[in-house]
Amino acid sequence: MSTYVIGAGVTGLSFAVTLGYGKVLESNPGLGGKASSYNMNTHVGKFTFDIGGHWFHHQNAPKVLQLLEGLSLEKHARQAFVYWEGGLYDFPLQQSYKTHADNSLVQQIDRELAALGQKEATKSQNYSDMLLNSYGPTLFERFFRDYNVKMFGVSDLSQIQIGKYEEIRNVRTNQKTEGYNSYFYYPKDPLGAQAIPVHLAKDVQVRFNSQVQSIHLNQRTISINKQTSPWETIISTIPLPRLVSMIADVDCGIAYLSQQLRASRGLILNLGVKRNLLHANKSWIYLAEMKYHFYRIGFYSNVQPDMAPEGYSSMYVECSPLFFKNKQEALYIVPQVIRDLISIGMIEDESDIVTLKPIYLEQNYCLPDNQVTSLIQSYLQQYGIYSIGRYGSWHWSSQHEDMQQAISLADELRRTINFRKLLKV
């Protein structure tokens, strides 16, 4: 009987490394999943891109760095900004709003944040409620509401539940704190973010181009590339609804619940462009105004200079799913995104673009439904199937949190296996 890990991204690889054995199945020909990278050779030189910003944090994940021993990680101070009402403000906005030219606006926000500071913390009922309780009505209405609407592609934020990690990002950071990501790590290796899964895979057996067609619970068999094998434990990092759809004899109620899970779509536009003064000293920028088709811009080459030729920038643009419902519609807005970038000065002219690649994601941000995912997870675990990671757990999370989840599960299963061996003795 075998342990199978479905997905060779950072979550699946972290589990396999920690457990010390297991067959890692990857449907693609390469490592990394959403944490993969690629190169583009152009007439000005080589550009390297990730699939969006994958800046590595390890706060609250003490065992993660142990897995990365030997990988050269460089610490970076966050240089993040908010594009707000025509100007650039330091992130977090709830600290930098005081530089706004409208003094009456500043005073109003002052009063609201002071009132929040004196108010006893209460449990928020939904995502909209949490933002209001964190930032007050003025910052909510002038920035945080629209930014999150654009990011999630959901016009009514009260329809979004608060997941496990949402409150980590949205805290009252107006007094003596810089938020949860004031610094981050990134591989020194010019390979990009993919250096992390490559490092994790050094001592792991990965079977590439391995397609899982079906899983049987009662027979305890798995079909991989149309070959049937027995299994004892399955660790899955693929989207939870897709996992459930693979199970041939799944309970019909569980199948129905999995079909209710929702996620935002994504469009990441990677660009190699001629560098201009606005690119300097910026890790990423948040944008909330609805007239722009994107909500965040970032610069890979400001973190790892080898990711762009001298005089050029390797950048990413995260586009809002408010403006598309499928891949065809997503690709259709690319020319407008370029015009938006020119309008705010991030690109001076379309001729400054050396290379461009849009990446469409059918699932980007999972919209949490704690009750549904808990029921599905409990059902699967009865049979020895564990669904983990951002898409496996169906929640918002960062790399280090997914890796820590994988480490904790591997430790727990190893203790269980050892206990069973003792009982047999």
Side-chain angles (χ1 to χ4, degrees):
M1 299 289 274
S2 297
T3 295
Y4 288 96
V5 180
I6 304 177
V10 294
T11 308
L13 292 171
S14 296
F15 177 87
V17 172
T18 305
L19 190 67
Y21 62 91
K23 300 169 185 176
V24 181
L25 309 174
E26 174 53 56
S27 61
N28 294 309
L31 292 167
K34 201 182 173 189
S36 59
S37 309
Y38 67 94
N39 297 323
M40 294 294 291
N41 293 311
T42 74
H43 68 282
V44 300
K46 184 179 75 174
F47 290 87
T48 302
F49 302 97
D50 298 333
I51 303 179
H54 280 275
W55 317 126
F56 183 76
H57 315 280
H58 68 83
Q59 297 90 325
N60 304 316
K63 293 187 177 181
V64 167
L65 285 184
Q66 295 176 22
L67 291 188
L68 300 179
E69 286 182 1
L71 175 65
S72 184
L73 292 171
E74 186 172 6
K75 185 176 180 179
H76 299 269
R78 178 192 65 209
Q79 295 180 300
F81 295 86
V82 174
Y83 190 85
W84 188 43
E85 301 184 354
L88 282 173
Y89 293 79
D90 289 339
F91 174 85
L93 183 60
Q94 58 272 33
Q95 291 180 0
S96 62
Y97 70 90
K98 290 179 180 291
T99 61
H100 198 286
D102 185 345
N103 191 52
S104 63
L105 173 67
V106 171
Q107 291 178 353
Q108 177 65 25
I109 297 172
D110 280 343
R111 289 192 292 269
E112 291 172 1
L113 290 179
L116 285 174
Q118 296 170 2
K119 182 181 176 183
E120 185 176 345
T122 57
K123 184 70 175 177
S124 299
Q125 299 303 307
N126 55 59
Y127 203 93
S128 180
D129 191 31
M130 179 187 65
L131 293 174
L132 270 169
N133 289 338
S134 297
Y135 308 117
T138 301
L139 282 175
F140 172 78
E141 293 169 5
R142 306 274 292 249
F143 181 80
F144 288 99
R145 177 190 59 199
D146 290 350
Y147 176 80
N148 283 276
V149 163
K150 286 174 71 177
M151 183 176 72
F152 288 114
V154 176
S155 57
D156 183 1
L157 296 175
S158 69
Q159 299 302 307
I160 300 178
Q161 290 185 22
I162 303 169
K164 183 176 181 180
Y165 296 111
E166 272 73 15
E167 290 182 332
I168 295 175
R169 292 189 298 160
N170 297 283
V171 294
R172 301 173 187 173
T173 57
N174 58 307
Q175 294 178 347
K176 298 181 181 179
T177 182
E178 295 177 333
Y180 79 100
N181 61 354
S182 57
Y183 63 89
F184 60 92
Y185 291 81
Y186 194 78
K188 287 186 178 180
D189 193 315
L191 184 60
Q194 193 163 3
I196 292 178
V198 167
H199 175 82
L200 291 170
K202 287 189 303 182
D203 300 316
V204 174
Q205 178 189 4
V206 180
R207 298 181 182 181
F208 295 106
N209 301 306
S210 295
Q211 300 282 346
V212 177
Q213 280 89 34
S214 63
I215 298 168
H216 285 78
L217 299 178
N218 294 317
Q219 297 175 15
R220 299 191 81 80
T221 57
I222 182 170
S223 176
I224 307 163
N225 292 344
K226 300 182 180 179
Q227 298 291 318
T228 300
S229 302
W231 59 270
E232 182 175 13
T233 306
I234 292 175
I235 311 300
S236 174
T237 65
I238 64 175
L240 182 56
R242 193 194 312 170
L243 170 65
V244 173
S245 72
M246 289 178 174
I247 301 175
D249 50 353
V250 69
D251 178 86
C252 60
I254 295 298
Y256 172 79
L257 286 176
S258 73
Q259 294 165 10
Q260 310 312 305
L261 295 174
R262 296 180 299 148
S264 68
R265 295 175 175 85
L267 175 66
I268 296 168
L269 190 61
N270 280 333
L271 299 126
V273 301
K274 188 175 180 180
R275 190 171 181 84
N276 71 35
L277 292 176
L278 276 180
H279 300 179
N281 303 316
K282 293 179 179 66
S283 307
W284 60 83
I285 305 167
Y286 302 95
L287 303 95
E289 292 176 69
M290 289 294 175
K291 64 181 178 180
Y292 303 121
H293 287 61
F294 41 82
Y295 56 90
R296 185 161 48 205
I297 301 168
F299 296 90
Y300 306 114
S301 52
N302 283 353
V303 177
Q304 170 49 272
D306 291 338
M307 294 178 77
E310 187 175 352
Y312 293 84
S313 293
S314 175
M315 64 183 292
Y316 64 93
V317 182
E318 295 180 85
C319 305
S320 170
L322 283 178
F323 303 103
F324 55 86
K325 295 184 179 66
N326 52 49
K327 184 175 182 178
Q328 182 178 359
E329 290 184 8
L331 298 178
Y332 181 78
I333 72 167
V334 170
Q336 182 58 55
V337 171
I338 300 301
R339 290 192 289 270
D340 290 346
L341 291 169
I342 292 172
S343 73
I344 63 174
M346 287 298 153
I347 299 175
E348 293 181 11
D349 187 83
E350 193 168 347
S351 63
D352 290 339
I353 301 174
V354 179
T355 183
L356 176 155
K357 182 178 180 179
I359 300 171
Y360 177 74
L361 302 170
E362 189 61 36
Q363 286 115 0
N364 190 17
Y365 288 100
C366 301
L367 304 181
D369 191 323
N370 303 323
Q371 184 176 9
V372 167
T373 53
S374 178
L375 288 169
I376 296 173
Q377 296 277 16
S378 296
Y379 171 81
L380 294 175
Q381 288 173 22
Q382 292 177 44
Y383 294 91
I385 298 178
Y386 301 86
S387 188
I388 61 174
R390 173 186 282 199
Y391 298 104
S393 297
W394 209 257
H395 60 203
W396 176 91
S397 54
S398 293
Q399 283 186 95
H400 70 284
E401 288 150 342
D402 293 336
M403 293 172 70
Q404 183 63 50
Q405 184 189 24
I407 293 167
S408 299
L409 177 61
D411 286 342
E412 178 186 341
L413 292 182
R414 190 165 51 207
R415 286 193 297 269
T416 302
I417 292 167
N418 290 337
F419 180 68
R420 287 174 181 166
K421 289 180 179 178
L422 286 172
L423 288 180
K424 288 180 180 179
V425 172

